[in-house]
Amino acid sequence: MTETRTETKQKKPSTFTKVMKIASVTLLGILFFSITGLAAKYYITVQNTFTKINVPLETSNKTTSDLEKKKPFSVLLMGSDARPGETNGRADTIILATANKQQNAVKMVSIPRDTKVDYGNGDIGKINASYSNGGPSGTVSAVEKLMPGVPVDYFISINMEGFKDLVDAVGGITVYNDIDLTEVNSKFVKGNITLNGTDALQYVRIRHEDPRGDFGRQDRQRDVIIGIANKVISSSGVSNFESIMKAVGDNFQTNMTLTDITSMATNYSSVLKNVDSQELKGEGEMIYSESYGFDLYYFAPDETDLERVINMFKKSLDITE
């Protein structure tokens, strides 16, 4: 779909741009400094940061050697809403993507935060709660439960609270807001808006005022990430590099190593030219909760569409049964 742009209006990022920037955020964006040899000290800082944010994923069998051989892989992108004092919070944003070098394509599906997951023995829960119960690996397990036969090789987890630190670290960002949302903050008018860290955190948390609910919030989260990534890879990122690294170290988790990221940047960049972005289809339903004593809203995936998505991911990962 082609999007128009005027001299005074910033184009709302395309799905392709969103995927590329979300997948990189500061991880591939920061890597820009090391692979271009901007300064040796930056590479050392990046390496130290990756050591700090690296969290192994015991269920993954993917290796750097697989990436060097250009084998397909999957990555789960998560945005946590953890507040100060909370260990994990919940996963507000959940996106599963696969990359296949031979097909030269990326498949990506957004999973609504209220998606119903059946853990067996009558244990039903919302997929976003899996993060508060088990951190990134808990949500990885929930996604694999939702989509049997589709393994999650890598994850990138972003603490949404960290948006404030990241936005301030890059000196503020400008995003295009496609709807008036002025009940929370008077500056959230339709059009280009400039945000500091506090503003950005408010902006990505708006849900009830937006008639699109969680789907609108997910779009804003993506747009803020894009704004951050654009500033990171710009010249202003150089002067703010140490602040950016601290914000990344405090708010990111991933099982990727710096070597993994380097291999991805080297071997898979062309797949971003062919990105298929989708949303899981389904409808809402109310289910009584004995714990709360009232009905809770769940997003129930359409079984036919879920099966289609599972088969799509398996094909992308070269999984045959």
Side-chain angles (χ1 to χ4, degrees):
M1 180 174 66
T2 302
E3 295 173 305
T4 59
R5 182 174 184 171
T6 67
E7 291 297 318
T8 58
K9 178 179 178 180
Q10 179 181 343
K11 180 177 68 174
K12 183 174 174 56
S14 66
T15 297
F16 160 69
T17 304
K18 288 180 180 180
V19 176
M20 180 174 65
K21 295 300 184 179
I22 291 172
S24 64
V25 190
T26 14
L27 298 178
L28 288 180
I30 293 291
L31 187 61
F32 169 83
F33 292 97
S34 59
I35 64 178
T36 56
L38 185 63
K41 69 175 183 179
Y42 288 147
Y43 181 83
I44 294 172
T45 303
V46 171
Q47 193 172 42
N48 290 339
T49 299
F50 265 83
T51 299
K52 179 179 179 180
I53 68 177
N54 184 263
V55 177
L57 182 62
E58 295 181 359
T59 56
S60 174
N61 296 316
K62 194 64 64 174
T63 65
T64 302
S65 176
D66 292 328
L67 298 176
E68 293 172 349
K69 295 176 182 177
K70 302 178 181 179
K71 293 184 178 181
F73 66 89
S74 63
V75 56
L76 186 65
L77 308 171
M78 296 169 279
S80 162
D81 68 349
R83 267 65 168 181
E86 292 182 334
T87 302
N88 292 319
R90 293 174 179 253
D92 266 354
T93 301
I94 304 172
I95 302 170
L96 181 62
T98 56
N100 187 302
K101 178 62 176 179
Q102 281 62 49
Q103 297 174 8
N104 211 37
V106 169
K107 303 292 184 183
M108 184 183 96
V109 172
S110 294
I111 303 172
R113 66 195 293 272
D114 293 320
T115 297
K116 180 177 66 175
V117 178
D118 187 349
Y119 295 99
N121 299 320
D123 185 10
I124 296 175
K126 295 185 179 184
I127 199 165
N128 68 333
S130 61
Y131 196 92
S132 59
N133 294 330
S137 63
T139 301
V140 166
S141 297
V143 170
E144 290 181 334
K145 183 71 176 179
L146 178 69
M147 301 184 183
V150 179
V152 175
D153 300 317
Y154 300 102
F155 75 84
I156 299 174
S157 175
I158 310 166
N159 180 358
M160 294 303 181
E161 185 76 24
F163 272 178
K164 179 179 182 298
D165 298 334
L166 281 166
V167 172
D168 285 337
V170 300
I173 61 172
T174 298
V175 300
Y176 178 73
N177 179 29
D178 61 1
I179 183 174
D180 284 330
L181 299 166
T182 54
E183 289 183 17
V184 176
N185 187 318
S186 60
K187 72 165 53 177
F188 298 158
V189 296
K190 183 176 180 179
N192 291 333
I193 55 176
T194 300
L195 308 172
N196 60 27
T198 300
D199 294 334
L201 188 57
Q202 291 179 336
Y203 186 65
V204 299
R205 282 182 168 165
I206 296 173
R207 178 162 59 108
H208 298 296
E209 186 182 351
D210 190 333
R212 297 165 298 183
D214 281 326
F215 294 103
R217 177 164 62 173
Q218 288 174 9
D219 281 346
R220 284 187 294 280
Q221 291 168 350
R222 293 166 185 164
D223 289 348
V224 168
I225 291 173
I226 291 166
I228 294 169
N230 283 335
K231 291 294 287 287
V232 166
I233 62 177
S234 71
S235 58
S236 63
V238 178
S239 58
N240 297 326
F241 191 78
E242 294 296 334
S243 296
I244 293 170
M245 282 287 91
K246 183 179 186 308
V248 170
D250 291 342
N251 298 294
F252 279 69
Q253 287 184 313
T254 182
N255 65 320
M256 296 178 184
T257 64
L258 182 55
T259 304
D260 292 335
I261 292 288
T262 304
S263 183
M264 289 177 185
T266 303
N267 297 320
Y268 295 85
S269 60
S270 64
V271 304
L272 296 173
K273 297 178 181 179
N274 183 16
V275 177
D276 180 10
S277 176
Q278 305 176 27
E279 290 183 349
L280 187 61
K281 297 179 181 178
E283 58 185 25
E285 65 178 42
M286 304 299 294
I287 299 177
Y288 180 77
S289 169
E290 292 186 0
S291 299
Y292 290 95
F294 51 81
D295 291 344
L296 294 179
Y297 171 85
Y298 288 84
F299 174 84
D302 178 85
E303 292 298 327
T304 299
D305 190 63
L306 180 60
E307 187 64 24
R308 177 192 63 81
V309 169
I310 290 172
N311 290 333
M312 177 188 73
F313 279 139
K314 286 182 177 180
K315 183 177 180 180
S316 178
L317 293 171
D318 291 341
I319 296 174
T320 58
E321 297 180 345

